[in-house]
Amino acid sequence: MRAHYLVQPNCWVALRLPSDTLKVLLMVPNTIVSLGKYGTFASNDILQRPYHLTYELLDRQEGHKDSGLRIVPASEIHEDTIAEEDAASSPKSDEAIIGGDGVEYELVGEDGEVIMRSNRETIDDSARQTLTMDQIETLKREGTGAGKHLIAKLMLSHTALDQKTSFSLAKYKLLKTKKYLRRFTVLPLDVPLLLNWYLSEKDPGKIMEMRDEMMGLTGSWANVHFSQSLPDAEGGRWLVVDETGGLLVAAMAERMGILYPSEEQLQSSSGNAHHREDAPLATSNTLTMVHNNAQPNLSLLKYFLFDPATTTQPCPDHPLNSHLQAISWLQLVSPEKDTFYSTSVEQLSPEELEAFKPGKRGTYYRKLRRWQRTTSIVDTALAGGFSGIVVASSMDPTSIIRHTIPLLRGGANISIYSPTIEPLVMLVDNYSTSRRTAFITSPPDSFTSLETDQERDNWKGDEDFPLNPTLILNASVQTARVRSWQVLPGRTHPVMTGKGGAEGYLFTGVRVVPARGKVEARGKFGKKRKADEIAANGRSDMKKGKLEGEAEELAATPAATDNGDDVVDVRMASPTL
Amino acid sequence: MAFQASPFLHPGTVSQTDRLAIVHLKRDLQLPTILRDHDEDNEGYAEGKVVNTRFGSFPHTTLIDLPWGSQVRASKVDTGSRGRRVKKRKRAGSAENSGPTKKVAKVDSEEAPIVDIAAEEAGTATPNTPAVKEETEAVAAASGFIHLLPPTPENWTSSLPHRTQVVYTPDYSYILHRIRARPGTNIIEAGAGSGSFTHASARSVFSGYANDQGVDGSPPKKQKLGKVWSFEFHEQRHEKLQKEIKDHGLEGLVQITHRDVCEDGFLVAGASPGADAVFLDLPAPWLALPNLSRSKPPPKHNGGRSKEATPTVPEDASSDTTKPWISPLNPSAPVHICTFSPCIEQVQRTVSAMRRLGWVDIEMVELSQKRFEIRRDRIGIDHSAQLGVQVSPANVDEAISRLLDVEDTFKSFHETGEKTELKKRDRPNPNNRAKILESLVGRKVYKEGNLAHRSEPEVKTHTSYLVFAVLPEEWTAKDEEEAKLRWEVKAREDSEKPKEVIGMSKRQIKRTAREAHKLKAAAKTASMPGDETREHAEGVNDNTLKGKGGVPEEACGSIKQELT
């Protein structure tokens, strides 16, 4: 764990610049890091230092190309805001202090008596800066104090500074701070950071526009956690369908404690990777990833030093090597058609091997290992018994469920993320109360002709019932969204702008094992029934229409729709109304 | 105590005796229950311990050793005579003569949903029931069923006995994601309340069971074991949670302390929990924050502008200095915190306190969640008053044809004086059982209409504001000195040939190349003899930069250009 807390050489880190943009870099020792216009510094200056520290690029020394660094203490980061707060709490003070979580300014001075103005007098004109471009350039080049002096000069040279309200002044300062302040913060590259970087700066589409809150929700509802087998208790194995380039796998692996290599595992990266035996596949606490191409797309895992595509892996002992098992849809659904799986590599005798040239022998061993790994992964996956499934895919969720539901054990949690709600709405409709009622009342012949439970679980559905509606309980769809706020003295409000795009939705459900034979539900009812109906149909008859617990509850109290079921269908299914 | 894995973390494949299971009745109605193979409270049922619900009675013997997720039929349980023997019951009259042979004993809803009530009732009122009875086999009832589910923090959260406001799944899943609660993390939770966050965080930080329970959280050699350090200042809540944790097999994983953390801090038995993450669900988190410092906090804020350059807080002579102050935080890790407060004023005070105590990256968010109702909207006038159908024209054609119908009726009435309309009573009721089943099976009404979604009628519009912040590791001048020695920086002279530079954007790379080209050209025109080495160096630089195409370039995306 400790490895995670100091900046490690040859690991990925993120640098946050004053403009709130992130720079994600591989921290190679003995190199120069460029922050663009902000300057350059030596990578060695931040290696083996803690994360979350903010540094300031010092003024370059005479003749030196790069800047040294200074750690900016937290007290200095917040100094302005604290000062502003203090000023507000003691109104006697005639200091006008401009706050805003940035830098402190020695700007207050001569006639700081104006505390609050309205914006009536403000002239909406940008040409109020008296410094010319050339002057600014000169200041930038010669500027000292990590840009603070330049910002102070800029503000003092603004002719309408005294007309600004304290709010617009704070805004102006923040604007200039973002542009000129030469500071950066070192952040560890973990799943939340990678997610936000892709969402805001890289390519939101690549990660299916998945936000933090949806990622957290997806993992929670799938009940993904560290779960190693114990002598007397079976561990957990999860299925994952990931079309986010490996982000979902990374997030689940993070929850299971298999994403970050330990310090020893990192150390061994320098060792020779060629003669290493493949780590034996783990049997619990594993992720089985089903992918739709010949190779899984896990490109984002390189930020966690896992790159199965390359021959020289950055971290050969990475826990994902044994805990992440990739299998293609073809291998899962019809393994006999997959060449890798079906072409067995025959075991050669030592004499035959002896006869090979070393190169050929190496190829043989590689082939053998790959085949052994593939068969082992495929056979384990086909044996089923998974503790849950997590999906973020552009494929139709109905088809994913159809092929994976037989592999889930009873009580397994299902969570499916989709950027848009429509595919999930269609999926839920397969589990609507009325459809389930119809299924139980008169199951299709193709289903009833199946004998064993296992065959029934594998039933591929028909036109009316694309999925067996009795295998998933509590099918529902939800979403969550955070809204960020600015908290500053006297200026607390939600932030003004945000990102649009896909809302993001989550389907959740539990795999259940329906009882064989006809099961009838029960509930209390009667209020709604008319006396003559009772006489006509008889009490026991009335009960037969009820097939689901949910149904009766709603039938009894049609107004109680707060459990999110399809009220209309329910009423239809219940004869009491 | 025999070691047993927690059913939350290792549910296994089948339900087991003395372990927690969730009896799922319907959406949002689930009963947590600990399965017993015998009735230790002696409630007087012939079948041993029984769960009574509005959907029937379920003896525990029918629930044990079942695969998780199984649908279980209700059993015929004689609830009536037991009740009569024990206590006069409200509904005794109606259930009086129902022997065990009666089809299904009716269960009234007041007694049904909460098992505890039944247990307590029986526990207090059964002094003279026969001691141990032969437990009879359960017989399946004609109707009623439940599903038996393994416990998860999610279904526990929706079924737990409420003691305080509950931290719901959307909130805790986001919080745990943000405060980096991962396997191996030590997390402090203050204000355990109903325990929903306790269970969720225990799942997040779990990285193995501690068989030797060290108080200081010091991990065994191989792997750092995560632990939840929970604090609750309300005594009854603390006791209840303690019992729950024990019943749920989370004892080694969750350490609950009865304590007011604002006053007495976060040390457990004098030792530091070594927390990497903190969650505060307290009425006044700013009072607890000073106890979460890396060094001894001042007794009170002086309110002035402090000008210290170091993050350490100055010692104050007036405070109690007899004992050395121990920080409850992990000294070699950044600490992530989240506070959970419903009011904006609490947030403002909390954030203000955080700023003064050296927390950085302070951010406040609120989280809203929506669940959706998904159903088919069926609209049309030809559905003959079926329930669930909005009887209005589905389209203009339907509207016109109905208008024409009315027109005809009107005409015929005026011409012949006949009323063609049927009396309401004569129309067949479209909503009896046969009709509905026919419409379901025959007409497949579940495929009719437009599939639509809307948010559920009850929406939680505000739970609480979440304040997040990070306290970086303390980094002293001495540490910096050591790091400097280890990672020596060789200053790059202005004239020196360029080394590898990382983190440049494509634009910058191009510009550097252009400038280099210009320089080269200038050098050529001047035809200085000693310039070849320089040219060469620049060529190399160019190549290395191009070769680093894989390095992401992002920083300067938003910054158009330097002011030139």
Side-chain angles (χ1 to χ4, degrees):
Chain A
M1 276 319 259
R2 170 83 191 180
H4 203 61
Y5 298 139
L6 294 181
V7 179
Q8 294 296 304
N10 297 311
C11 280
W12 291 86
V13 301
L15 307 181
R16 192 180 54 215
L17 304 177
S19 51
D20 270 342
T21 50
L22 291 168
K23 227 173 157 59
V24 174
L25 298 169
L26 189 65
M27 265 309 132
V28 184
N30 303 314
T31 49
I32 300 299
V33 181
S34 161
L35 297 180
K37 64 173 185 181
Y38 297 106
T40 54
F41 67 93
S43 62
N44 286 12
D45 267 336
I46 61 167
L47 284 178
Q48 298 266 306
R49 314 306 203 274
Y51 284 107
H52 298 284
L53 288 184
T54 298
Y55 295 91
E56 196 166 85
L57 290 168
L58 294 173
D59 300 326
R60 278 190 291 163
Q61 283 178 336
E62 196 68 36
H64 281 188
K65 260 190 159 172
D66 309 303
S67 306
L69 298 178
R70 177 182 79 94
I71 295 172
V72 185
S75 56
E76 195 180 319
I77 295 175
H78 296 308
E79 194 166 20
D80 260 13
T81 320
I82 292 174
E84 194 188 355
E85 253 175 18
D86 291 342
S89 60
S90 54
K92 284 276 158 61
S93 153
D94 56 7
E95 272 184 308
I97 298 150
I98 314 135
D101 263 357
V103 232
E104 86 281 17
Y105 284 94
E106 315 303 321
L107 191 68
V108 200
E110 294 98 346
D111 49 351
E113 69 280 292
V114 193
I115 303 292
M116 186 83 182
R117 302 175 195 85
S118 82
N119 61 2
R120 206 173 59 163
E121 311 286 320
T122 314
I123 301 157
D124 293 326
D125 181 5
S126 57
R128 317 229 84 204
Q129 180 56 257
T130 52
L131 284 183
T132 66
M133 225 38 132
D134 285 346
Q135 282 170 313
I136 294 177
E137 276 305 295
T138 321
L139 275 169
K140 261 168 68 182
R141 238 174 295 122
E142 298 164 358
T144 50
K148 278 178 286 185
H149 296 179
L150 168 62
I151 299 165
K153 277 237 171 66
L154 273 172
M155 294 184 72
L156 288 172
S157 314
H158 194 286
T159 53
L161 196 71
D162 56 338
Q163 288 170 24
K164 283 186 183 291
T165 63
S166 60
F167 299 106
S168 62
L169 196 57
K171 235 193 214 163
Y172 184 75
K173 201 199 84 175
L174 194 66
L175 213 67
K176 297 298 162 202
T177 303
K178 282 190 172 171
K179 201 160 169 182
Y180 298 112
L181 192 68
R182 286 158 48 195
R183 274 185 188 171
F184 68 94
T185 308
V186 185
L187 300 171
L189 192 73
D190 51 15
V191 171
L193 188 123
L194 184 68
L195 189 151
N196 285 311
W197 177 50
Y198 256 81
L199 213 51
S200 57
E201 291 174 42
K202 292 281 279 186
D203 181 5
K206 185 169 181 192
I207 58 164
M208 299 182 78
E209 302 175 64
M210 201 161 183
R211 298 185 310 275
D212 271 330
E213 52 274 33
M214 293 310 290
M215 187 61 94
L217 211 52
T218 306
S220 281
W221 277 104
N223 194 22
V224 177
H225 61 275
F226 172 86
S227 180
Q228 200 103 57
S229 280
L230 300 171
D232 56 347
E234 199 181 320
R237 292 153 62 226
W238 282 270
L239 269 175
V240 55
V241 183
D242 178 3
E243 286 176 33
T244 62
L247 184 75
L248 184 69
V249 167
M252 295 310 122
E254 192 178 51
R255 297 180 70 95
M256 295 160 71
I258 52 176
L259 182 61
Y260 304 106
S262 68
E263 196 147 14
E264 301 89 72
Q265 284 164 335
L266 273 178
Q267 298 295 306
S268 71
S269 62
S270 47
N272 45 358
H274 301 292
H275 303 293
R276 196 175 296 275
E277 279 291 307
D278 279 356
L281 290 173
T283 53
S284 66
N285 202 33
T286 60
L287 278 172
T288 301
M289 182 201 180
V290 195
H291 50 92
N292 41 18
N293 295 321
Q295 295 297 323
N297 176 6
L298 295 167
S299 55
L300 294 185
L301 289 183
K302 76 167 183 202
Y303 294 109
F304 307 102
L305 304 179
F306 179 71
D307 196 351
T310 60
T311 44
T312 52
Q313 291 192 18
C315 177
D317 281 343
H318 201 290
L320 282 178
N321 268 331
S322 58
H323 289 267
L324 176 63
Q325 307 176 358
I327 175 172
S328 75
W329 281 106
L330 182 65
Q331 287 167 341
L332 190 75
V333 175
S334 19
E336 69 286 348
K337 289 186 188 148
D338 181 74
T339 326
F340 275 152
Y341 179 76
S342 52
T343 344
S344 62
V345 179
E346 45 188 298
Q347 205 82 40
L348 293 180
S349 64
E351 296 85 55
E352 283 172 299
L353 276 172
E354 212 51 42
F356 280 168
K357 281 182 185 146
K360 203 176 171 194
R361 204 180 306 145
T363 319
Y364 166 76
Y365 274 121
R366 210 165 41 245
K367 257 188 175 171
L368 183 68
R369 275 204 304 272
R370 188 178 61 189
W371 177 72
Q372 280 167 342
R373 191 179 161 95
T374 309
T375 41
S376 164
I377 290 175
V378 172
D379 293 343
T380 326
L382 290 178
F386 285 95
S387 327
I389 179 169
V390 197
V391 179
S393 165
S394 48
M395 289 193 293
D396 177 17
T398 307
S399 70
I400 294 177
I401 289 298
R402 184 177 301 136
H403 291 293
T404 51
I405 195 112
L407 304 177
L408 300 179
R409 73 178 183 207
N413 297 88
I414 298 154
S415 89
I416 303 178
Y417 168 83
S418 167
T420 53
I421 198 170
E422 287 76 11
L424 303 184
V425 166
M426 310 236 280
L427 178 61
V428 170
D429 186 49
N430 291 324
Y431 298 99
S432 73
T433 310
S434 54
R435 201 183 290 258
R436 192 166 37 204
T437 311
F439 184 85
I440 297 171
T441 316
S442 102
D445 293 338
S446 63
F447 180 75
T448 43
S449 61
L450 299 172
E451 286 297 316
T452 64
D453 281 347
Q454 203 194 349
E455 279 175 346
R456 290 193 167 198
D457 283 352
N458 276 303
W459 182 63
K460 294 296 175 230
D462 65 6
E463 202 193 326
D464 293 336
F465 305 102
L467 298 167
N468 178 348
T470 58
L471 290 186
I472 290 186
L473 188 66
N474 259 357
S476 59
V477 174
Q478 58 180 312
T479 186
R481 185 160 204 128
V482 298
R483 179 186 212 190
S484 350
W485 285 58
Q486 157 187 316
V487 184
L488 287 170
R491 280 171 285 140
T492 298
H493 59 73
V495 295
M496 303 285 186
T497 52
K499 286 260 176 204
E503 194 64 33
Y505 298 88
L506 181 70
F507 168 92
T508 59
V510 187
R511 163 79 152 98
V512 289
V513 186
R516 256 337 250 282
K518 207 151 184 165
V519 180
E520 287 174 12
R522 182 196 314 186
K524 58 166 186 158
F525 38 77
K527 229 189 334 194
K528 303 276 172 198
R529 298 169 64 217
K530 289 179 201 128
D532 55 346
E533 261 183 32
I534 300 172
N537 300 337
R539 191 190 159 80
S540 58
D541 190 22
M542 287 304 297
K543 280 184 184 167
K544 280 185 189 146
K546 313 291 197 124
L547 292 143
E548 243 296 334
E550 294 165 355
E552 297 113 30
E553 171 63 10
L554 284 171
T557 52
T561 53
D562 58 323
N563 56 8
D565 217 313
D566 31 10
V567 185
V568 176
D569 289 335
V570 164
R571 286 194 209 163
M572 296 216 17
S574 78
T576 54
L577 291 172
Chain B
M1 189 195 74
F3 170 75
Q4 214 179 17
S6 166
F8 279 87
L9 303 164
H10 285 99
T13 49
V14 295
S15 56
Q16 289 169 37
T17 311
D18 297 330
R19 305 232 292 170
L20 182 72
I22 303 285
V23 171
H24 180 278
L25 302 169
K26 67 183 188 84
R27 182 165 310 181
D28 293 340
L29 182 56
Q30 304 174 329
L31 293 177
T33 183
I34 292 171
L35 301 176
R36 306 285 184 199
D37 51 6
H38 62 279
D39 186 4
E40 83 276 23
D41 293 328
N42 210 352
E43 290 168 359
Y45 290 106
E47 293 82 3
K49 204 160 168 76
V50 171
V51 187
N52 285 317
T53 74
R54 73 176 77 159
F55 303 132
S57 298
F58 302 87
H60 281 201
T61 45
T62 63
L63 302 177
I64 292 169
D65 271 341
L66 278 187
W68 288 121
S70 291
Q71 190 177 30
V72 185
R73 289 185 178 84
S75 298
K76 293 176 186 171
V77 172
D78 172 17
T79 48
S81 57
R82 174 196 75 105
R84 193 162 12 110
R85 189 165 57 230
V86 169
K87 206 179 182 184
K88 271 179 201 139
R89 296 183 76 88
K90 254 196 313 191
R91 304 172 45 91
S94 63
E96 207 73 48
N97 44 17
S98 63
T101 46
K102 191 177 174 187
K103 207 171 167 200
V104 180
K106 188 153 173 152
V107 182
D108 68 30
S109 58
E110 292 99 75
E111 120 185 59
I114 297 152
V115 185
D116 286 42
I117 289 180
E120 274 165 27
E121 228 169 66
T124 52
T126 50
N128 49 7
T129 9
V132 182
K133 249 187 344 182
E134 191 69 19
E135 286 171 3
T136 57
E137 276 293 294
V139 182
S143 70
F145 66 84
I146 52 101
H147 284 95
L148 190 69
L149 300 181
T152 65
E154 285 68 42
N155 58 29
W156 175 252
T157 299
S158 63
S159 61
L160 55 79
H162 278 224
R163 296 185 283 262
T164 56
Q165 179 67 45
V166 172
V167 183
Y168 287 101
T169 303
D171 281 315
Y172 73 62
S173 65
Y174 179 66
I175 293 167
L176 290 167
H177 178 74
R178 282 281 307 258
I179 62 174
R180 275 69 170 175
R182 303 162 179 155
T185 301
N186 273 302
I187 182 169
I188 285 179
E189 173 209 31
S194 300
S196 87
F197 193 87
T198 318
H199 284 78
S201 52
R203 174 181 66 184
S204 288
V205 305
F206 172 67
S207 62
Y209 298 96
N211 288 325
D212 50 337
Q213 295 169 24
V215 182
D216 57 342
S218 64
K221 293 273 147 42
K222 279 280 273 189
Q223 199 164 19
K224 191 184 162 192
L225 292 182
K227 191 161 182 176
V228 181
W229 302 83
S230 187
F231 297 89
E232 171 60 53
F233 73 130
H234 187 281
E235 187 157 7
Q236 274 88 48
R237 271 181 238 148
H238 165 254
E239 274 166 19
K240 285 207 173 107
L241 187 61
Q242 184 104 53
K243 182 170 183 311
E244 267 169 21
I245 291 302
K246 186 163 180 284
D247 288 347
H248 298 173
L250 296 170
E251 264 188 315
L253 196 57
V254 180
Q255 176 90 40
I256 313 170
T257 311
H258 176 224
R259 166 95 52 86
D260 178 2
V261 290
C262 299
E263 290 294 319
D264 306 321
F266 292 90
L267 302 186
V268 176
S272 165
D276 313 299
V278 180
F279 174 69
L280 299 180
D281 181 4
L282 303 168
W286 58 92
L287 295 179
L289 280 173
N291 294 328
L292 290 167
S293 305
R294 297 222 182 259
S295 43
K296 190 180 171 63
K300 219 181 170 188
H301 305 306
N302 50 12
R305 276 180 84 171
S306 60
K307 276 271 180 185
E308 291 83 40
T310 52
T312 48
V313 203
E315 285 278 296
D316 200 298
S318 65
S319 66
D320 171 34
T321 49
T322 48
K323 276 182 273 179
W325 197 82
I326 304 169
S327 166
L329 308 176
N330 182 348
S332 59
V335 175
H336 292 259
I337 195 172
C338 173
T339 69
F340 190 78
S341 328
C343 306
I344 197 81
E345 289 80 6
Q346 292 170 304
V347 168
Q348 284 165 333
R349 295 191 69 169
T350 307
V351 170
S352 171
M354 281 178 176
R355 286 201 185 103
R356 287 163 200 270
L357 289 164
W359 295 83
V360 295
D361 288 352
I362 302 169
E363 200 190 329
M364 191 267 265
V365 303
E366 60 174 333
L367 188 134
S368 65
Q369 188 223 4
K370 258 190 254 166
R371 301 204 307 174
F372 296 96
E373 235 174 64
I374 292 168
R375 63 188 197 210
R376 287 179 175 263
D377 281 342
R378 294 160 62 217
I379 302 168
I381 44 180
D382 62 338
H383 291 283
S384 50
Q386 266 183 31
L387 274 164
V389 179
Q390 189 185 339
V391 187
S392 63
N395 50 39
V396 176
D397 290 342
E398 254 187 56
I400 289 173
S401 79
R402 183 164 72 169
L403 286 170
L404 287 175
D405 278 355
V406 172
E407 210 62 34
D408 285 348
T409 321
F410 188 69
K411 260 190 211 141
S412 66
F413 176 70
H414 276 276
E415 284 163 12
T416 63
E418 266 174 40
K419 271 192 189 175
T420 49
E421 217 180 330
L422 279 171
K423 273 190 181 168
K424 214 177 179 183
R425 195 179 301 161
D426 300 337
R427 253 189 284 172
N429 177 6
N431 293 311
N432 63 28
R433 175 186 143 73
K435 277 267 164 28
I436 283 172
L437 281 187
E438 191 247 293
S439 70
L440 271 180
V441 176
R443 272 186 51 199
K444 299 176 182 170
V445 288
Y446 51 82
K447 286 165 82 179
E448 281 177 8
N450 300 322
L451 200 48
H453 72 277
R454 39 174 73 74
S455 41
E456 285 184 354
E458 301 292 323
V459 178
K460 288 192 185 74
T461 43
H462 178 64
T463 50
S464 274
Y465 294 110
L466 314 175
V467 180
F468 292 97
V470 183
L471 191 62
E473 199 179 318
E474 211 162 18
W475 196 244
T476 61
K478 192 169 149 263
D479 294 333
E480 180 63 29
E481 246 2 91
E482 280 168 15
K484 272 224 159 68
L485 274 180
R486 184 148 178 218
W487 298 99
E488 198 187 342
V489 177
K490 291 202 189 82
R492 195 164 62 134
E493 302 290 325
D494 249 346
S495 53
E496 201 182 325
K497 68 172 190 176
K499 272 200 284 186
E500 194 182 350
V501 177
I502 56 176
M504 286 168 90
S505 69
K506 271 184 190 139
R507 189 181 292 121
Q508 279 177 301
I509 292 170
K510 269 187 202 152
R511 198 174 49 220
T512 327
R514 215 166 38 232
E515 271 162 23
H517 192 73
K518 257 189 226 163
L519 268 175
K520 227 155 72 177
K524 256 188 192 147
T525 47
S527 70
M528 294 277 285
D531 238 59
E532 262 162 36
T533 45
R534 191 193 170 91
E535 250 172 62
H536 178 68
E538 243 132 31
V540 168
N541 181 29
D542 217 28
N543 287 338
T544 43
L545 290 174
K546 291 234 169 79
K548 289 302 271 188
V551 173
E553 32 75 38
E554 47 285 337
C556 293
S558 65
I559 305 148
K560 287 281 168 281
Q561 237 181 337
E562 283 184 70
L563 271 174
T564 40

